[in-house]
Structure formats: C-alpha cells, structure tokens
C-alpha cells in the first residue's frame, strides 16, 4: 500500500517535472529542441495513458498543465509533437466530464484546433491521424462550446471538414468524427445555408441511402446532420427540387419493413425528423402529398400503434401529417354572423367599424394571402442566431406600470345636473315609509304576478288520443304582434298542437319540478319568452328552459384523460383524406340556407338551435355517426365562437356519435383537462329526471385544418381553428337531447326568476325592480334594489336605513359565461330568504344589483359581445349611451352614488372563466401591481388600505369552491376599461372585484376533483352574501371608531399581512391561462417554429399533464 502510494506520488511528481520541462522549452524555443519536446510530450502521453492520477495532475488548475500543453501546440511545427499533444488532449478530455473540456475551451483551445485544421489542410493530402485527432477533439468541444459552429465558419474550417467527408466516404474511421463535427456545424442556421451551397445535402444522401443496416451509427449522425440542414428553407427547397422527399419516404418504409424487432427506432425517428423539417416549407408539403406521404405515414403509423415503444414514431408521423393536411375552408359563405342587427351609430373605429366597412363581395372565410409564401423566411438573409443573446421573455408586460394610471381619479367627471336623472333609481333614499300597513313597492313589469298564474299545463297539453308514438319536436310560441291583444299561446310538441280548445288527453307529462325548483314555472317561462326580443325573432323554446333544470344529486368527477385520445381523433380526421369515399359531407342543418330544406332519409340526426341562447349555424354529417358542427359568430361580429347550445333529435340509441365543433378559437380549453359538455334529455326529463348532465367521452380540443382568415384572427395570418370533439351514446329512442357549453341560463329565465323572487317579498323585505334602460335589441335591463324595510317610519330607523352602505353587484356581461348567472341566482335567492342572517344582511346594506348586463347577447346566443359587436366589459371607461346603454347607465348609477357621497362599499361583477379551475377574484391594488413590475418599491411608499383583501380572504374561509391562491390584485393594461378597474379608479371603490367562476371544476377544497354544477354555483352566490355579512363586522368598527386604525388592525390580523413586507410578490400574478400548454398541440403553420419538439417530450404527448400554474408565485 505504502509502496503503491509512493510510486504514484513519484509518477505524479514526474509528470509535473515533465510539464515544467515542457514549459521551459516553450519559453526558449530552439530548433534543436524539437527532439526534446517530442520526447517530453511522448513521455507525458505515456503517463497519461497509463495513470488516471496523472491526468488529474495535468488538468488541475494549480499545475497550469492545460496552458503549457496548449502553448506547446501553438508553438510547435513538428508533426509528431503535434500528434503527441493532440493525443494527450484527447486522453484528457475523454474522461473527467465536460469540466476539463470547459477549461480547454476557456483557454482558447477551440480556436487553436480550428487554426491547426485549416493550416494543415493547405498542403494536401492531410495527415489522416492528425485529422482524426483534431475532429475527435472538436466533437468533444462541440458539447461544451456553443459557438463552435460560428468559430469554425469564421476560421474557414467548414469546408475542410466537408471535404474530408466527401473524400473519405469509405473510410469510416475518419468519416465518423468528421460527420459528427459537421452535425455540430449544421446546427447553426447560417452554417447550414453555407454547407447546403457546398453540396452537403447530396453527400448526406449518399451516406443514408439506399437502405442498409451496416454502420448504423454513421447513418444516425448523417440523418441528424441532414435534419439540421433542412431547417434552412433554402436547403429544404434544394432538397425538394432534387426529389429527396420521396427518397426519404422510401428509406423510411424500408426501415419500417426491415426493422421488425424495433432495434433502430432512433434511426427511423431521425428519418422522420428530416421529413418533418422538409415539410416546414410549402413546397415540401406539396411534395409530401404528391409522393403519397399521407398514406405512407398513415399506414406505417397504424402498424406502429399497438407497440407502445414506437409512440415517438407515431407522434412525429402524426405531426407531419397534420402539418401537411391541406388547409380547408370553413364551409360557410361568410364568417359574419348569420343574423345582423342594424346599428344606428356605427363606431368610428374598432372591430365593428371594420366589419361594416368591409367591401361587399370580399371572401372573409379565407385569405388570398394565405396562399403565397411571402411569409416564409429566406434563410439567405438569416441573421446570426445566438442563444446567449435571447434574454428571458418578459411575461409581465401587461402589468400597468404607469403610476398615474394606478392612482384614483380625483375629479368628478360629470356635472351633477346630468346625474340628477338617476335619483329615480334611488327612491329608497327619499322615501318616508309613512304607511304602517304592509308596504307594496311597485315593481315593473307586473302584468303577471303569482296571483294570476295560468292554469296547470296539463290542461294545455292536450293531444289527440290516437297520436302515438309520441314524437318530440320543439315547443313554439306564437308571439303576440305589437299592439294586438291576442294572448294565446300555441305550444307545439311535435304533432301535438296545443290550443285552448283541445279536449284531448294529455300524453306528455310535464315533470313536476315545483317542489324542487321553487323559482321555476313552465307557464310563466313561456309568458316571459313572449316579451323577449331576439334578432332572429325566435318562436321556439328549448325544452330544458321550459321544463327547468334540477341540480343533479350526484358527483360528477373531472374526467381522467385517456391515453392517445387526441391521436386517435386526429387519425380519424386524416382518414377523411385517405379514404375520401367514406365521407358523406351531407349538410343536415344550415342557417345560411334556411329556405333550402334538408333532405332527410331518416339516417341523419336532426339539429336545431332556433331558440333563445341557441347558436348552431351549420351541421354536416361527415360519416354515418359523425358530425361537424359550426357555431354562429356573435351578432355584428365575425368571431367569438365558444358558447354553444343546440338540440339533436332522430338519434339511434346505443350508438356512439362523434360531434366535432370545428370553429373554436381559443388555443386551449378546459375540455383538455377533464371538462365535459352538458346534455339534457327530454325523455329523461319527462321520466322525472330534468337534469343537465355532464356527458361525453373521448373529449379533446386541438388545432384543426380549417384555416382562419386574418380578418377573423385580428390580422394574424396562417391561423387555424380548433376542434372540440366529444362522443356521446344516447340512451333513448325518439328522444330530443340538448347540448350546451355550460348550464344555460336565458334572459327569459332571469325574468321568470325575478318574478318569482318578487313574490317572496315579506313585510321586512324592501325589494324593488326597475328597468335600468332598454337595450339595443329592445329588451329591458332589470335593476334590483334589495334591503330591509326600516324598523318603523320614525326618524331613527329611517336614518339608519339611509345610512346603510351600498353593495353594487352585476353579472353576465359576457353571455357565454352562464355560470355567472347561476352564482347571481344564488345571491338573489339568499337575499330574499327569511333566515335571520339574511335579514341581518339586508339591514346592513342596500343592494343594487344588475343581474344581466348583456341581455341581448344572452338572448341571441352570443359568446362575448352585445348587439354592437363589442365586448361590453371593455367599454367602462367611455361607454356610449346609444351603443352600450347598460354599461352607460350602470356607470351613471355609480357616478351618482359617488356624487351623493354614497360610494359603494363593495362592487363585484360576476364572470365565468373558461381556462381555470375554482372560483376566485380579481381586485385592484397599487402596491401589488407595483411589486409585480419590480419597480423600485421605494417609488411606491403609498399608503394603501389592505381592505381589498378582506372579502376574498373571508370567501376562501367560507366558500368551498373559492381559492385564494388564484386571486390576483394586479391591474393589467389590457383590463383598464373593465368594470373592476374603472369602478376602482373612477368611482373610488376600493373593494372592486371581478369574481370568476370556473366552467370546469375544482382542484382544491371540498369539491376537489369534481366538475362544478349549478348547486355549487348557487352556493357560491349565497356564500358571497354571508361573506358580506362578516365583512360588516370589520367595516362597522370603522363607523364606530370613526378612524380606521382599529379596522386596519383587525383586517391585518385577518389577512396575515405580516409576511407581505418580506416578499416581493405577495399575490399571484394570474396569466390568462394557468393550465400548461397542451403537449399534443401542433402548430400547423409552416411559418411558425414554435411547435413543441416531440424529441424533447416523446412520452408526454398524451399524458394528463400536471396542472401546475405557470409563473405564479404564491403568497406567504
Ligand atoms: Zn367574463
């Protein structure tokens, strides 16, 4: 042992001795020293080859060995010495990880090697051993030195290596390291272009074809080099011109056939990698189609499907096929909404102006410009790509950084005289309540109270006895024309024409939901529908709205995503191209062509959506049990497709039907994360189960091959639509079923609920309904005032009444967010209930509520806009009285309140969120916004009351669906015209919120793992009320103490703010979407290089990705 140690120490010191000897020789070079240097380096090489310890010694920083060796390399003219040194370096860099290579690179080794390479190539033939050593070293350097490619080009080394490859095709010993170096060179785009011009593509094809299982390592390197080269558009064009695409397909097929034991999956994948890059250009996609590539990849993939280890091949093939799938035109005459509502005033600019100014005859469904290649970059002009220089992308660029825009606006923007008109809506503040008998507050409209209910519907539903079997068709009503007095309701249920004279027996049992649905009454609903004005002048009523929906008493779990669903669906889509004869392409429903009746052989489903909130535009039977569906655009708009509500009939039970909504626009959806569509079966309803039920299997959401014109995509070219696909098996024959994006809640339903709610009024409840204004579509916008009656009409109770703080609530500015209406229903029911807390709450506040800010949008099946074609929640800064009446008057109410010193304590606008789970709030805080922008916090030692955090905190303690960690109090630039931000800044409401409810479900709390239903949403609305009651305890101290330090102490305790000063980002900055981008997603457009590289994530393509929020920082 001691002997060994001694020996090793001896040898270590020997190598150090040799190094210092070498160093001396470097310092005083003499020609006669050549032999000495040769000998010394030879000895060092021998020691290094035999003892790892010596390597460590040489490579160690303290010995300075690397510098000495490099310096010798630089100085020597002697071939043998050079070879010795290169061999030493090769030995050194082979082991010890990248660390030694890093030292080598940092001491300028790369440039030295390249100079040596270029220098020795000047007098051919080059020494083979020398070339071998240099390239072996360069391969190692390539792993560490990201700039090797650039350095090689600048030193003129690219062609030296290329020529070596060219002339040594049979000399595999030298060929392999040279090719490996070439692979490194080609990863730089400029190099790729230069190498392409020098004929590298042709050489690579000599290496990779024809098929042979010999020297697969070489083959793999050549394929990878080729794939890199083909990333340049110029090289790709050259390759297509030379007919290389069919060659690659043939080679791929050969490998597919011969690699029966799947030992060469990496090679097969590399071939696909080349095809993938080649098809980034349009010419390549065309060549692929011409070479029958679709069928070849489809067939090979189908054969690969059963073997899970071949998934990377299937996924890459699928990616190529999707990319090459010819882009289709949506089968529509125009993307503008089928229905049009003429506007009196067209805004001067913006989307609506654009739409109106579009010349007639313009095809807005596709772009001519999509057809040219102008957007494809010419790589001749590619600039140097340098990864080091691309800084981290700023994700927070939407955060408001202008401190002046974060400060409240001090002045009153409108003269009070103008606001005086709104006194009418605040009559409670001037009433004397002098009457001692029960006070009846007039409520408009009051034509139909509970006292004059229609007779039970059994009398109405009077079919002829011999009519069987029962056929369900739509309910339709004949509306009373203006000014006439004929109130008759004609209710048609299939052949059952309902009129008042009928004396027949009832066959259709209307489910008795009265006990379960106290606010629902089918007759009253029909009555309400009659006064609802829709742009298409609907005369039919959806059964679910008529019968009502009773919340399902059943857990509906968030769906687990099944492996391979999206891939399977995409393959089915590709089959349309492979087997075109299987495709029916039969239009079975078409709003654009209503005059042309759809021929029906009984083999197709029947579709309908001509009822309130319905919005199906077209249905095409693609295969026997598969339908493509197209949604209508929002009225006076050419996009916003997400909400859907339609009816299906004539189904066969027990058959799997596939539905594809093919013109969705959002890039991702909760449908990829376990959300199901909603279905309502009329047969089930009649049989006592009137429920909307979460349904559908094989659900996924992905980019499709229907191109989206730039007109509809905000000017962006080359965009595609997305498909939501789901599969349903119907249970009953002769059923009529409805599908919806979320639980429908129509405007007529709101009117019915309000009518019913007003009937719940007691002597203690002050409930008043006013019409805030009339909408563009001629519907009234209800405004509710709810509070408690004063204890008596004497002075004290009246003054207590008048001093109650105002709570201002609104909902459903976005029609597609029906969940917000269900939450509002929960709030309203709670406010009208007779529990002691409800009474206490009414005694605490005066509630001003606009339950539906966008009635027209709701009625007409819009997703986002009002009839003006605009998003009303972007109009709060400067609402136009004519174009945005509900917003204009709602804001005026708030301005009136501010002007009269009654600025609301709380403002909350209820919304729905399509891409996140749980219920959460957005609020406004200067401090938290400033924190997020990383602006020096000293610029913002503003005093800010933390009271805005109280209500969300209370809700998180009380409401199971509510998640505090999803809340955000950051003010974004893009939201500056929303209700929340404007009411905060201009009206001065500190507690101004948007409350977002998920459309999908919860991932925390009591409802974790479940999809959300109406009872959870209604519960949320009730819990909101209870939280307000708790909030009162904090805020009433403010009144009593008349200064807010105590209140602040209380709130500080509650919201645990002690941690805030220690962290820079106390709140979540919520990006629009907190789900990860779906990994199967593929970008079709050749122009875009942002597709997810399947090489990186071969196995994740179909997994249910973990739902960790992106870039969110949790507080505390
Ligand atoms: Zn919304």
């Amino acid at each position: 042992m001691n002997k060994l140690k001694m020996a090793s120490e001896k040898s270590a010191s020997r190598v150090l001795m040799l190094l210092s000897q070498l160093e001396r020789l470097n310092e005083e070079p003499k020609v006669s020293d050549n032999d000495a240097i040769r000998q010394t380096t030879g000895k060092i090489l021998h020691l290094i080859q035999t003892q790892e310890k010596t390597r460590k010694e040489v490579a160690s920083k303290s010995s300075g060995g690397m510098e000495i060796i490099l310096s010798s390399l630089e100085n020597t003219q002697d071939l043998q010495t050079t070879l010795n040194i290169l061999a030493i370096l090769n030995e050194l860099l082979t082991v010890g990880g990248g660390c030694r290579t890093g030292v080598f690179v940092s001491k300028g080794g790369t440039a030295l090697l390249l100079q040596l390479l270029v220098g020795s190539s000047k007098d051919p033939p080059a020494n083979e051993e020398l070339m071998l050593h240099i390239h072996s070293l360069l391969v190692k350097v390539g792993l560490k030195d990201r700039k090797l490619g650039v350095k090689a080009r600048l030193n003129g080394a690219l062609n030296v290596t290329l020529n070596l490859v060219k002339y040594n095709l049979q000399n595999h010993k030298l060929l392999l390291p040279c090719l490996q170096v070439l692979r490194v060179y080609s990863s730089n785009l400029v190099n790729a272009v230069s190498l392409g011009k020098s004929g590298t593509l042709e050489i690579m094809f000599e290496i990779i074809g024809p098929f042979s299982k010999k020297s697969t390592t070489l083959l793999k390197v050549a394929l990878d080099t080729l794939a890199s080269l083909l990333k340049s558009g110029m090289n790709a064009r050259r390759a297509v011109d030379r007919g290389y695409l069919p060659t690659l397909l043939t080679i791929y097929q050969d490998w597919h056939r011969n690699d029966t034991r799947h030992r060469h999956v990496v090679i097969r994948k590399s071939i696909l990698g080349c095809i993938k890059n080649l098809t980034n250009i349009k010419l390549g996609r065309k060549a692929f189609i011409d070479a029958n590539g679709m069928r070849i990849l489809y067939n090979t993939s189908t054969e690969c499907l059963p073997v899970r280890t071949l998934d990377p091949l299937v996924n890459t093939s699928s990616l190529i096929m999707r990319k090459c799938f010819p882009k289709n035109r949506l089968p529509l005459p125009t993307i503008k909404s089928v229905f049009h509502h003429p506007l009196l005033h067209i805004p001067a600019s913006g989307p609506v102006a654009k739409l109106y100014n579009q010349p007639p005859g313009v095809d807005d469904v596709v772009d001519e410009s999509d057809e040219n290649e102008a957007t494809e970059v010419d790589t001749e002009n590619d600039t140097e790509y340098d990864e080091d220089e691309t800084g981290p992308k700023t994700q927070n660029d939407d955060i408001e950084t202008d401190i002046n825009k974060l400060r409240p606006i001090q002045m009153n923007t409108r003269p009070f005289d103008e606001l005086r008109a709104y006194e009418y809506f605040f009559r409670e503040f001037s009433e004397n309540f002098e009457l001692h008998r029960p006070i009846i507050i007039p409520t408009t409209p009051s034509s139909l109270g509970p006292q004059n209910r229609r007779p039970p519907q059994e009398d109405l539903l009077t079919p002829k006895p011999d009519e069987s079997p029962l056929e369900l068709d739509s309910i339709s009503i004949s509306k009373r024309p203006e000014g006439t007095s004929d109130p008759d309701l004609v209710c048609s249920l299939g052949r059952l024409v309902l009129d008042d004279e009928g004396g027949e027996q009832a066959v259709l049992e209307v489910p008795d939901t009265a006990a379960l649905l106290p606010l629902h009454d089918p007759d009253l609903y029909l009555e309400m529908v009659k006064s609802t004005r829709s742009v298409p002048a609907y005369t039919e009523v959806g059964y679910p709205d008529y019968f009502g929906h009773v919340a399902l008493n059943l857990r509906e779990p968030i769906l687990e995503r099944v492996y391979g669903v999206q891939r399977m669906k995409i393959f089915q889509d590709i089959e349309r191209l492979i087997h075109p004869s299987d495709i029916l392409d039969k239009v079975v429903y078409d709003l654009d062509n209503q005059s042309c009746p759809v021929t029906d052989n009984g083999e197709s489903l029947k579709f309908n959506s001509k009822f309130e909130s319905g919005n199906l535009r077209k249905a095409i039977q693609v295969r026997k049990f598969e339908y493509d569906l197209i949604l209508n655009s929002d009225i006076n708009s050419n996009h916003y497709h997400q909400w859907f509500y339609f009816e299906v009939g004539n189904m066969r039970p027990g058959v799997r039907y596939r539905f594809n909504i093919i013109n969705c626009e959002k890039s991702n959806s909760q449908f990829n994360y376990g959300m199901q569509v909603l279905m309502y079966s009329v047969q089930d309803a009649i049989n006592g189960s009137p429920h909307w039920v979460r349904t559908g299997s094989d659900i996924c959401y992905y980019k499709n091959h229907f191109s989206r014109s730039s007109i509809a995509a905000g000017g962006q070219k080359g965009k595609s639509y997305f498909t939501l696909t789901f599969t349903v098996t119907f249970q009953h024959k002769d059923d009529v079923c409805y599908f919806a994006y979320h639980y429908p809640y129509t405007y007529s339903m709101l009117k019915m609920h309000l009518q019913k709610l007003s009937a719940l009024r007691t002597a203690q409840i002050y409930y008043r309904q006013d019409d805030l204004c009339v909408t563009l579509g001629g519907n009234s916008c209800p405004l509710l005032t709810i509070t408690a009656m004063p204890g008596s009409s004497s002075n004290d109770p009246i003054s207590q009444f008048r001093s109650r703080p105002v709570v201002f609530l609104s909902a459903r500015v976005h029609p597609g967010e029906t969940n917000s209406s269900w939450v509002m229903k929960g709030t309203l029911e709670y406010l009208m209930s007779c529990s002691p807390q409800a009474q206490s709450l009414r005694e605490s506040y005066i509630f001003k509520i606009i339950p539906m800010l966008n009635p027209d949008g709701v009625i007409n099946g819009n997703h986002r806009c009002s009839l003006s074609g605009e998003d009303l929640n972007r109009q709060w800064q400067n609402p136009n009285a004519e174009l945005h009446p509900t917003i204009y008057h709602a804001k005026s109410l708030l301005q009136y309140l501010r002007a009269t010193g009654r600025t609301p304590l709380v403002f909350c606008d209820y919304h729905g969120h399509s891409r996140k789970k749980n219920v959460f709030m957005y609020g406004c805080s200067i401090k938290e916004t400033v924190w997020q922008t990383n602006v020096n916090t000293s610029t913002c030692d503003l005093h800010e009351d933390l009271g805005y955090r109280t209500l969300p905190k209370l809700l998180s303690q009380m409401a199971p669906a509510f998640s505090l960690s999803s809340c955000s109090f950051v003010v974004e630039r893009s939201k500056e015209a929303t209700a929340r931000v404007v009411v905060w800044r201009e009206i001065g409401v500190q507690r101004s919120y948007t409350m977002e409810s998920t459309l999908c479900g919860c991932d925390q709390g009591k409802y974790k793992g479940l999809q959300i239903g109406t009872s959870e949403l209604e519960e949320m609305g009730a819990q909101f009320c209870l939280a307000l009651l708790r909030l009162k305890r904090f805020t009433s101290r403010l009144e009593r103490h008349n200064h807010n330090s105590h209140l602040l102490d209380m709130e500080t305790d509650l919201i645990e703010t002690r941690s805030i000063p220690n962290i820079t980002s106390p709140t979540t900055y919520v990006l629009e979407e907190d789900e990860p981008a779906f990994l199967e997603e593929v970008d079709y457009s050749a122009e875009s290089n942002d597709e997810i590289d399947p090489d990186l994530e071969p196995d994740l393509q179909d997994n249910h990705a973990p739902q960790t929020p992106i870039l969110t920082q949790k507080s505390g």
Side-chain angles (χ1 to χ4, degrees), residues 813-814 817 864 873 911-912 996:
V813 71
H814 293 143
E817 295 164 4
R864 188 90 182 164
N873 203 32
H911 282 250
E996 302 270 3

Side-chain angles (χ1 to χ4, degrees), residues 626-873:
E626 182 178 348
Y627 292 83
D628 279 355
L629 309 175
I630 300 177
L631 306 177
N632 193 19
S633 309
D634 283 6
I635 291 187
N636 287 1
S637 132
N638 54 17
H639 61 133
Y640 301 111
H641 320 115
Q642 210 76 25
W643 163 256
F644 57 87
Y645 185 18
F646 59 88
E647 176 195 293
V648 175
N650 200 34
M651 63 281 281
R652 277 203 220 165
V655 170
R656 285 168 59 82
Y657 284 93
R658 177 179 169 185
F659 297 97
N660 313 306
I661 295 177
I662 59 170
N663 64 338
C664 300
E665 291 163 314
K666 289 199 173 181
S667 60
N668 201 355
S669 161
Q670 282 288 332
F671 285 119
N672 274 336
Y673 303 96
M675 182 164 85
Q676 291 177 287
V677 302
L678 285 148
M679 187 178 93
Y680 190 101
S681 152
V682 176
Q683 289 283 9
D684 280 345
I686 293 168
N687 294 327
S689 299
H691 309 297
W692 279 104
V693 180
R694 297 275 186 175
T695 198
S697 58
D698 290 3
I699 300 173
C700 60
Y701 187 93
Y702 57 90
K703 188 179 277 188
N704 64 28
H705 54 274
F706 289 100
S707 60
R708 201 168 143 194
S709 81
S710 60
I711 296 173
Q716 288 177 287
K717 285 176 181 164
K719 291 268 160 187
S720 294
Y721 285 103
F722 290 79
T723 291
L724 159 66
T725 181
F726 59 95
T727 300
V728 172
T729 307
F730 297 102
Q731 300 302 312
H732 311 291
K733 197 171 174 288
D734 298 321
D735 199 356
V736 171
C737 289
Y738 289 77
F739 290 99
Y741 179 60
H742 197 74
Y743 300 89
Y745 190 104
T746 63
Y747 171 68
S748 301
M749 206 180 280
L750 171 72
K751 288 194 291 182
M752 173 182 73
H753 287 156
L754 294 185
Q755 188 95 251
K756 288 283 196 176
L757 279 171
S758 71
L760 300 176
R761 189 169 41 191
T762 65
Q764 277 99 48
I765 304 177
Y766 183 105
Y767 173 97
R768 196 180 76 231
Q769 181 180 335
D770 294 303
D771 290 337
L772 177 62
C773 59
V774 175
T775 64
L776 291 180
N779 295 289
S780 72
C781 177
L783 164 69
L784 308 178
T785 305
I786 302 175
T787 184
M789 280 294 187
S792 74
S793 59
S794 55
N795 279 344
D796 276 4
I798 293 279
S799 79
Q800 189 277 334
F801 180 99
R802 290 180 185 168
S803 67
R804 291 173 192 166
V806 173
V807 171
F808 202 111
L809 306 176
S810 58
R812 205 70 188 282
V813 71
H814 293 143
E817 295 164 4
T818 56
N819 46 359
S820 69
S821 279
W822 291 98
V823 177
M824 181 52 86
K825 177 171 181 266
T827 295
L828 292 176
E829 270 186 275
Y830 188 87
L831 286 178
M832 293 302 287
S833 67
C834 48
S835 72
Q837 288 112 312
Q839 177 60 20
S840 165
L841 185 61
R842 288 188 296 262
E843 285 167 2
S844 310
Y845 302 110
I846 292 174
F847 287 88
K848 286 286 175 187
I849 301 176
I850 306 174
M852 197 173 273
L853 274 169
N854 187 358
D856 292 343
V858 170
I859 295 163
N860 294 292
N862 284 6
H863 177 65
R864 188 90 182 164
C865 300
S866 75
L867 287 188
S868 78
E870 294 163 296
D871 181 344
L872 288 181
N873 203 32

